[in-house]
Coordinates of all heavy atoms in Angstrom, one line a residue:
I102 N 209.3 93.6 283.4 CA 209.3 94.4 282.2 C 208.0 94.1 281.3 O 207.9 94.7 280.3 CB 210.5 94.1 281.2 CG1 210.7 92.7 280.9 CG2 211.8 94.7 281.9 CD1 211.6 92.5 279.8
P104 N 204.5 95.0 280.1 CA 203.6 96.2 280.2 C 202.4 95.8 280.9 O 201.3 95.6 280.3 CB 203.4 96.6 278.8 CG 203.6 95.4 278.0 CD 204.5 94.4 278.7
I157 N 218.4 78.4 266.8 CA 219.1 79.6 266.3 C 218.6 80.9 267.0 O 217.4 81.2 266.7 CB 219.0 79.8 264.8 CG1 219.3 78.4 264.1 CG2 219.9 80.8 264.3 CD1 219.0 78.4 262.6
G158 N 219.3 81.4 267.9 CA 218.9 82.6 268.6 C 218.7 82.3 270.1 O 218.0 81.4 270.5
S159 N 219.4 83.2 271.0 CA 219.3 82.9 272.4 C 218.5 84.0 273.1 O 218.8 84.4 274.3 CB 220.7 82.8 273.0 OG 221.3 84.1 272.9
G160 N 217.5 84.6 272.4 CA 216.6 85.5 273.1 C 215.6 84.7 273.9 O 215.8 83.5 274.1
P161 N 214.6 85.4 274.5 CA 213.6 84.7 275.3 C 213.0 83.5 274.6 O 212.7 82.5 275.3 CB 212.7 85.8 275.7 CG 212.9 86.9 274.9 CD 214.3 86.9 274.4
T162 N 212.7 83.6 273.4 CA 212.0 82.5 272.7 C 213.0 81.3 272.7 O 212.6 80.2 273.1 CB 211.8 82.8 271.2 OG1 211.1 84.0 271.1 CG2 211.0 81.7 270.5
G163 N 214.2 81.4 272.2 CA 215.1 80.3 272.2 C 215.5 79.8 273.6 O 215.5 78.5 273.8
Y180 N 222.6 78.4 269.1 CA 223.7 79.1 268.3 C 223.2 80.6 268.3 O 222.1 80.9 268.0 CB 223.6 78.6 266.9 CG 224.0 77.1 266.8 CD1 223.0 76.2 266.9 CD2 225.3 76.7 266.6 CE1 223.3 74.8 266.8 CE2 225.6 75.3 266.5 CZ 224.6 74.4 266.6 OH 224.9 73.1 266.5
D181 N 224.2 81.4 268.6 CA 223.9 82.9 268.6 C 225.1 83.6 268.1 O 226.2 83.4 268.3 CB 223.5 83.4 270.0 CG 222.7 84.7 269.9 OD1 223.3 85.7 269.5 OD2 221.5 84.7 270.1
R182 N 224.7 84.7 267.3 CA 225.8 85.5 266.6 C 226.5 86.4 267.6 O 227.6 86.9 267.4 CB 225.3 86.2 265.5 CG 224.2 87.2 265.8 CD 223.7 87.9 264.5 NE 222.5 88.7 264.8 CZ 221.7 89.2 263.9 NH1 222.0 89.1 262.6 NH2 220.7 90.0 264.2
H183 N 225.9 86.6 268.7 CA 226.5 87.5 269.7 C 227.4 86.7 270.7 O 227.3 85.5 270.8 CB 225.5 88.2 270.6 CG 224.8 89.4 269.9 ND1 225.5 90.3 269.1 CD2 223.5 89.7 269.7 CE1 224.8 91.1 268.6 NE2 223.5 90.9 269.0
G188 N 219.7 87.6 273.8 CA 219.0 88.4 272.8 C 218.8 89.9 273.2 O 219.7 90.5 273.8
L189 N 217.6 90.4 273.0 CA 217.3 91.7 273.4 C 217.2 91.9 274.9 O 217.3 93.0 275.4 CB 215.9 92.2 272.8 CG 216.0 92.4 271.2 CD1 214.7 92.7 270.7 CD2 217.0 93.6 270.8
G193 N 219.5 94.9 274.3 CA 218.4 95.8 273.9 C 217.8 96.6 275.1 O 218.0 97.8 275.2
I194 N 217.2 95.9 276.0 CA 216.5 96.4 277.1 C 217.5 97.0 278.1 O 218.3 96.3 278.6 CB 215.5 95.4 277.7 CG1 214.6 94.8 276.6 CG2 214.8 95.9 278.9 CD1 213.7 93.7 277.1
K198 N 215.6 99.0 283.6 CA 214.4 98.2 283.6 C 214.7 96.8 284.0 O 213.8 96.1 284.5 CB 213.8 98.2 282.2 CG 212.9 99.5 281.8 CD 212.6 99.7 280.4 CE 211.9 98.5 279.7 NZ 211.6 98.8 278.3
F222 N 228.4 82.6 266.8 CA 228.2 81.6 265.7 C 227.0 82.2 264.9 O 225.8 82.2 265.4 CB 227.8 80.2 266.3 CG 227.7 79.1 265.3 CD1 228.7 78.1 265.2 CD2 226.6 79.1 264.4 CE1 228.6 77.1 264.2 CE2 226.6 78.1 263.4 CZ 227.5 77.1 263.3
E223 N 227.3 82.7 263.7 CA 226.2 83.3 262.9 C 225.8 82.4 261.9 O 226.6 82.0 261.0 CB 226.7 84.6 262.3 CG 225.6 85.3 261.5 CD 225.9 86.8 261.3 OE1 227.0 87.3 261.8 OE2 225.1 87.4 260.6
V224 N 224.5 82.0 261.9 CA 224.0 81.1 260.9 C 223.8 81.9 259.6 O 223.3 83.0 259.6 CB 222.6 80.5 261.3 CG1 222.1 79.6 260.2 CG2 222.8 79.7 262.6
A243 N 214.8 81.2 265.9 CA 214.2 82.1 266.9 C 215.1 83.4 266.9 O 215.7 83.8 267.9 CB 214.2 81.5 268.3
T244 N 215.2 84.0 265.7 CA 216.3 85.0 265.5 C 215.8 86.4 265.8 O 216.6 87.4 265.6 CB 216.8 84.9 264.0 OG1 215.6 84.8 263.2 CG2 217.6 83.8 263.8
G245 N 214.5 86.7 266.0 CA 214.1 88.0 266.4 C 214.1 88.9 265.1 O 214.4 88.4 264.0
Y247 N 215.4 92.6 263.5 CA 216.5 93.6 263.8 C 216.6 94.7 262.8 O 217.4 95.7 263.0 CB 217.9 92.9 263.9 CG 217.9 92.2 265.3 CD1 217.4 91.0 265.5 CD2 218.5 92.9 266.3 CE1 217.5 90.3 266.7 CE2 218.5 92.3 267.6 CZ 218.0 91.0 267.8 OH 218.1 90.4 269.0
L266 N 218.5 100.9 268.3 CA 219.2 99.7 268.8 C 220.7 99.8 268.9 O 221.4 99.4 269.8 CB 218.8 98.4 268.0 CG 219.0 97.1 268.9 CD1 218.2 97.2 270.1 CD2 218.4 96.0 268.0
L269 N 221.3 101.9 272.0 CA 221.0 101.1 273.2 C 222.0 100.0 273.5 O 222.4 99.8 274.6 CB 219.6 100.6 273.2 CG 218.4 101.6 273.3 CD1 217.1 101.0 273.0 CD2 218.4 102.4 274.6
T304 N 210.6 101.4 272.8 CA 212.0 101.6 272.4 C 212.5 103.1 272.5 O 213.5 103.4 273.0 CB 212.3 101.1 271.0 OG1 211.9 99.7 271.0 CG2 213.8 101.2 270.6
D307 N 213.0 103.9 276.0 CA 214.3 103.4 276.5 C 215.4 104.4 276.1 O 216.4 104.6 276.8 CB 214.6 102.0 276.0 CG 213.6 101.0 276.6 OD1 213.0 101.3 277.6 OD2 213.5 99.9 276.1
F409 N 210.9 97.9 264.0 CA 211.9 96.9 263.4 C 211.1 96.0 262.4 O 209.9 95.6 262.7 CB 212.5 96.0 264.5 CG 213.2 96.8 265.5 CD1 212.5 97.2 266.7 CD2 214.5 97.2 265.3 CE1 213.2 97.9 267.6 CE2 215.2 97.9 266.3 CZ 214.6 98.3 267.4
M417 N 220.0 85.5 254.1 CA 221.0 85.5 255.2 C 221.4 84.0 255.5 O 222.6 83.7 255.8 CB 220.3 86.1 256.4 CG 221.2 86.7 257.5 SD 220.2 87.7 258.5 CE 220.4 86.8 260.0
F418 N 220.4 83.1 255.5 CA 220.7 81.7 255.8 C 221.1 80.9 254.6 O 221.3 79.7 254.7 CB 219.4 81.1 256.4 CG 219.1 81.5 257.8 CD1 217.9 81.0 258.5 CD2 220.0 82.2 258.6 CE1 217.7 81.3 259.7 CE2 219.7 82.5 259.9 CZ 218.5 82.1 260.5
G449 N 208.6 83.1 268.0 CA 209.0 84.4 268.5 C 208.8 85.6 267.5 O 208.1 85.4 266.6
D450 N 209.6 86.6 267.8 CA 209.4 87.8 266.9 C 209.7 87.5 265.4 O 209.0 88.2 264.6 CB 210.5 88.9 267.4 CG 210.0 89.7 268.6 OD1 209.0 89.3 269.2 OD2 210.6 90.7 268.9
S456 N 207.5 92.2 269.1 CA 206.4 92.0 270.1 C 206.9 92.2 271.5 O 207.6 93.1 271.7 CB 205.8 90.6 269.9 OG 204.8 90.4 270.7
L457 N 206.6 91.2 272.4 CA 207.0 91.4 273.8 C 207.6 90.1 274.3 O 207.4 89.1 273.8 CB 205.6 91.6 274.6 CG 204.9 92.9 274.4 CD1 203.5 92.8 275.2 CD2 205.7 94.0 274.9
V458 N 208.4 90.3 275.4 CA 209.0 89.2 276.0 C 208.1 88.1 276.4 O 208.3 86.9 276.2 CB 209.9 89.6 277.2 CG1 210.4 88.5 278.0 CG2 211.0 90.5 276.7
V459 N 206.9 88.5 277.0 CA 206.0 87.5 277.4 C 205.4 86.7 276.3 O 205.2 85.4 276.5 CB 204.9 88.1 278.3 CG1 204.0 89.0 277.5 CG2 204.0 87.1 279.0
A461 N 207.2 86.1 273.5 CA 208.3 85.2 273.1 C 208.4 84.0 274.0 O 208.6 82.9 273.5 CB 209.7 86.1 273.2
Ligands
LIG1 P1 215.5 88.3 270.3 O1 215.4 88.7 271.7 O2 215.6 89.4 269.4 O3 216.6 87.2 270.2 C1 217.1 86.8 268.9 C2 218.5 86.3 269.0 O4 218.8 85.7 267.7 C3 219.5 87.3 269.3 O5 220.3 87.0 270.3 C4 220.4 87.4 268.0 O6 221.7 87.7 268.2 C5 220.2 86.0 267.4 N1 220.4 85.9 266.0 C6 219.8 86.6 265.0 N2 220.2 86.2 263.8 C7 221.1 85.2 264.0 C8 221.9 84.4 263.1 N3 221.9 84.5 261.8 N4 222.7 83.5 263.7 C9 222.8 83.3 265.0 N5 222.0 84.0 265.9 C10 221.2 85.0 265.4 N6 209.4 93.5 275.5 C11 208.8 93.6 276.7 O7 208.0 92.7 277.0 N7 209.0 94.5 277.7 C12 210.0 95.5 277.4 O8 210.2 96.4 278.2 C13 210.7 95.5 276.1 N8 211.6 96.5 275.9 C14 212.2 96.4 274.6 C15 213.2 97.4 274.4 C16 213.8 97.4 273.2 C17 214.9 98.4 273.0 C18 213.5 96.4 272.2 C19 214.3 96.5 270.9 C20 212.6 95.4 272.5 C21 211.9 95.5 273.7 N9 210.9 94.5 274.0 C22 210.3 94.5 275.2 C23 210.6 93.4 273.0 C24 211.3 92.1 273.4 O9 212.7 92.4 273.7 C25 211.2 91.1 272.2 O10 209.9 91.0 271.8 C26 211.8 89.8 272.5 O11 213.2 89.9 273.0 C27 211.8 88.8 271.3 O12 212.5 87.6 271.6 P2 213.0 86.7 270.5 O13 213.7 85.6 271.3 O14 212.0 86.3 269.5 O15 214.2 87.5 269.8

Side-chain angles (χ1 to χ4, degrees):
I102 60 166
I157 312 171
S159 67
T162 308
Y180 300 87
D181 200 290
R182 62 184 171 190
H183 283 316
L189 289 172
I194 300 174
K198 279 167 50 182
F222 190 109
E223 182 162 1
V224 179
T244 48
Y247 282 87
L266 203 53
L269 293 172
T304 302
D307 291 345
F409 302 93
M417 202 166 117
F418 281 175
D450 277 9
S456 181
L457 292 173
V458 169
V459 66

